[in-house]
Amino acid sequence: MLADEARTENRVATSQPWWRGAAIYQIYPRSFADSNGDGVGDLPGIAAKLDYVRDLGVDAIWLSPFFTSPMRDFGYDVADYCDVDPVFGTLEDFGDVVERAHSLGLKVIIDQVYSHTSDQHGWFKESRSSRENPKSDWYVWANAKPDGSPPSNWQSVFGGPAWTWDGRRGQYYLHNFLTEQPDLNLHNPAVQDAILDAARFWLDRGVDGFRIDAINFAMHDPELRDNPPAPNGTKRTRSFDFQQHLYNQSHPDIVGFLERLRRLTDGYGDRFTLAEVGGDHALSEMRAFTEGDARLNSAYGFDFLYAEALTPELVAHVARDWPEGAGWPSWAFENHDAPRAISRWATDENRDQIARLKMLLLATLRGSIILYQGEELGLPQVDVPFERLQDPEAIANWPNTLSRDGARTPMPWMSNAPQLGFSTCESWLPVGDAHRELAVDRQESNRGSLLQFTRDCLKLRHSHPALRHGSMKILRADEQLLVFERAKNGSHIRCTFNLSEKELSHASAGKGIALAGHLDAGTLGAYSGVVEEIS
């Protein structure tokens, strides 16, 4: 890593909101740190490891769900929006996490799941009890067709019809995900009020923002029109892939609810709202959800998360989709729903090179950036055998799965400890054999490790307003080379990345301030990148 010896570790003073250009560290609580030896990570374990997170140089943590849940989808099936599942601890333990994070200068973002609940939620139990109860229309219920078949042809993301028959009501209910995850009827103002009350509950407990899960699934077409078939040539591994998803999701009234949410969060000061948006129309929805100052602060999609290769064209396409004035993007290369990027983009031979290259690239992108736990260690995907799978999607769609379990395995803290220091007993998912040599303790003691390089990259981002808040202009994006410029207040930084296996000539544009890979005598090495200050 090249760096100015005078570089300060103090973050650049700015009038911008804290989240604009921030680096956010995603923690998957089940797999981060187990404090009580039951094989499952928990909130006290997170609190105990926050010094490590602070030392990375991130601005905030994002916690995946820790709410009361039967764990059919590991917390994304919420049974109580306003309590902590005992496997993770208590509300007091959550308060300790917030207090500890704030004392370390870290903001706390938590997941919110507004499109569906668990079928064990009290709201659904009441809703399904009869067609006349006060919450009868809090979920999406519909009569069968005359032949008894489902009300529409909609398919679940996890496979099979998105409708399940319920004998108590003599109707079908909608579930865009698991059968055990009935869809809320967010068209109903009373449901919106209840959801906003849940958000207020956590804001009152000091959270600094929300990452909103699957928000484009939050409202459906009330006419229940059939989805048309997907075009020929569409990759199909699930029944969901056979359709264009025009009517089961993405209703235009979602933005009205988001405006209500934004008014609520603005009442608590400088809070951050981030939408997760996937699907065929993600870009237009991301823009719609973040347009102006009355909707969400930011959104991220799956452009990088499911990409099979990291290419100049991909980065250029993403950057051009979010020009100045089109809202504020957020980007992630890895998360709990996608295979590890290092396993998608690298081979065993170039893994370390690409791990450094992608970390420097992420640190120089315009927008807010998200690191997933273990990404700073270069963790590869774990091949979880079928008999150890936990993810219902993986089990249902084996062997053509999204491979989520392989990215959710326990964090390796100590190379020679049982369960790599994550727990004192067998963990809920197997630890990765290849993770032993990448464990935190080994990388902490190695100045040349990816962990140390990640810290340097985040220091670089914080030290230069052009990287954190500046504009981004693509200068070149061909099959091998990506060149872009970041600029703010007369400061210009050029970022050059060789995303190929061949060396390329490089004419220096200014003072080198960061390097991933090799740069020598006007030659930029394979899978190498250089950041230069040109004014």
Side-chain angles (χ1 to χ4, degrees):
M1 184 85 174
L2 297 177
D4 188 340
E5 292 295 325
R7 181 183 63 209
T8 176
E9 294 188 10
N10 294 325
R11 296 177 179 177
V12 179
T14 175
S15 60
Q16 299 276 3
W18 68 264
W19 50 263
R20 198 171 178 91
I24 301 165
Y25 188 78
Q26 182 192 357
I27 293 175
Y28 191 72
R30 292 186 70 87
S31 297
F32 194 61
D34 172 20
S35 71
N36 61 359
D38 65 356
V40 177
D42 47 45
L43 292 172
I46 292 170
K49 297 294 187 181
L50 287 179
D51 291 79
Y52 166 82
V53 178
R54 184 270 317 273
D55 291 345
L56 286 174
V58 298
D59 302 277
I61 58 172
W62 151 29
L63 301 180
S64 292
F66 51 84
F67 316 109
T68 306
S69 168
M71 300 296 167
R72 295 302 301 268
D73 194 24
F74 298 101
Y76 287 94
D77 51 328
V78 179
D80 186 341
Y81 281 108
C82 298
D83 205 354
V84 173
D85 194 276
V87 75
F88 298 124
T90 65
L91 276 172
E92 290 73 21
D93 292 328
F94 177 77
D96 291 343
V97 170
V98 173
E99 182 179 3
R100 180 61 180 156
H102 286 170
S103 73
L104 295 172
L106 295 169
K107 304 291 187 180
V108 178
I109 301 165
I110 65 171
D111 256 319
Q112 294 284 270
V113 187
Y114 296 154
S115 70
H116 54 267
T117 72
S118 165
D119 62 355
Q120 299 304 304
H121 198 293
W123 298 347
F124 186 70
K125 290 180 179 180
E126 183 174 350
S127 186
R128 80 190 312 181
S129 65
S130 73
R131 300 193 192 188
E132 290 77 34
N133 73 81
K135 291 185 173 61
S136 62
D137 61 349
W138 278 41
Y139 291 80
V140 183
W141 295 95
N143 293 326
K145 289 181 178 180
D147 63 358
S149 60
S152 73
N153 70 346
W154 302 346
Q155 297 292 302
S156 161
V157 172
F158 290 161
W163 296 97
T164 288
W165 176 259
D166 187 84
R168 276 158 282 197
R169 284 187 53 140
Q171 288 182 305
Y172 283 93
Y173 68 86
L174 176 67
H175 53 89
N176 275 302
F177 297 92
L178 292 175
T179 303
E180 296 87 357
Q181 292 173 297
D183 271 49
L184 284 163
N185 179 19
L186 217 63
H187 289 288
N188 185 336
V191 177
Q192 293 189 21
D193 291 344
I195 287 295
L196 294 176
D197 283 344
R200 189 178 292 108
F201 176 89
W202 295 108
L203 290 166
D204 287 341
R205 279 155 181 77
V207 303
D208 301 287
F210 300 128
R211 178 265 189 188
I212 306 167
D213 182 70
I215 190 59
N216 53 339
F217 283 90
M219 291 187 189
H220 64 292
D221 170 33
E223 297 180 34
L224 308 184
R225 287 171 284 187
D226 282 350
N227 282 330
N232 291 333
T234 302
K235 183 179 179 181
R236 296 169 176 173
T237 60
R238 304 163 295 172
S239 60
F240 183 78
D241 302 325
F242 283 75
Q243 296 180 354
Q244 299 179 58
H245 306 110
L246 303 185
Y247 300 119
N248 64 305
Q249 62 182 83
S250 307
H251 194 278
D253 287 353
I254 292 173
V255 296
F257 167 72
L258 297 181
E259 289 171 351
R260 292 192 67 191
L261 177 63
R262 177 65 184 272
R263 288 194 293 271
L264 172 64
T265 57
D266 280 353
Y268 284 80
D270 200 10
R271 299 298 186 265
F272 180 48
T273 50
L274 171 67
E276 176 205 40
V277 184
D280 298 334
H281 308 287
L283 176 62
S284 62
E285 292 179 318
M286 289 164 69
R287 288 186 174 181
F289 295 164
T290 60
E291 183 179 17
D293 295 324
R295 298 175 185 172
L296 301 185
N297 300 120
S298 187
Y300 79 93
F302 289 77
D303 303 78
F304 294 112
L305 291 170
Y306 290 151
E308 295 181 357
L310 180 62
T311 66
E313 294 89 344
L314 172 63
V315 179
H317 173 74
V318 165
R320 289 166 179 154
D321 280 346
W322 282 89
E324 297 282 340
W328 187 254
S330 294
W331 303 115
F333 290 170
E334 298 186 4
N335 76 2
H336 64 291
D337 277 337
R340 292 278 186 181
I342 200 65
S343 294
R344 286 181 278 122
W345 297 345
T347 65
D348 290 342
E349 291 73 25
N350 60 27
R351 181 167 291 163
D352 184 66
Q353 290 173 280
I354 292 182
R356 293 168 187 271
L357 177 72
K358 78 177 186 68
M359 190 59 69
L360 183 59
L361 174 60
L362 183 64
T364 55
L365 290 179
R366 175 183 176 268
S368 300
I369 61 172
I370 306 168
L371 286 77
Y372 178 51
Q373 65 182 49
E375 187 172 1
E376 74 279 9
L377 304 175
L379 299 186
Q381 185 83 352
V382 176
D383 185 12
V384 179
F386 182 82
E387 61 273 13
R388 290 295 307 273
L389 288 176
Q390 302 289 331
D391 178 22
E393 185 282 327
I395 295 169
N397 293 311
W398 179 265
N400 298 314
T401 80
L402 299 176
S403 302
R404 301 192 306 179
D405 276 344
R408 297 176 176 182
T409 56
M411 182 80 169
W413 295 101
M414 301 174 65
S415 58
N416 293 321
Q419 304 299 307
L420 301 185
F422 164 75
S423 179
T424 56
C425 73
E426 186 175 17
S427 54
W428 75 287
L429 280 174
V431 297
D433 291 338
H435 292 183
R436 184 176 304 278
E437 63 184 31
L438 301 172
V440 170
D441 64 338
R442 290 200 181 183
Q443 297 204 36
E444 282 279 13
S445 61
N446 178 3
R447 184 64 189 89
S449 69
L450 178 64
L451 173 59
Q452 303 289 3
F453 183 81
T454 298
R455 291 170 175 166
D456 287 342
C457 287
L458 295 177
K459 287 178 184 177
L460 178 81
R461 182 176 178 86
H462 282 300
S463 299
H464 295 274
L467 290 178
R468 181 157 179 160
H469 305 120
S471 62
M472 180 174 178
K473 181 180 180 181
I474 301 294
L475 303 179
R476 181 174 172 180
D478 54 33
E479 292 184 357
Q480 297 174 298
L481 194 63
L482 170 70
V483 184
F484 57 87
E485 189 173 290
R486 303 294 311 278
K488 185 175 178 62
N489 297 335
S491 174
H492 294 262
I493 293 178
R494 184 165 297 176
C495 306
T496 304
F497 294 92
N498 177 4
L499 300 180
S500 77
E501 60 185 8
K502 299 178 181 179
E503 294 182 344
L504 298 175
S505 61
H506 173 72
S508 176
K511 178 184 178 182
I513 56 174
L515 175 67
H518 304 284
L519 176 63
D520 183 47
T523 299
L524 184 62
Y527 304 115
S528 296
V530 61
V531 179
E532 298 168 309
E533 194 168 23
I534 57 179
S535 64

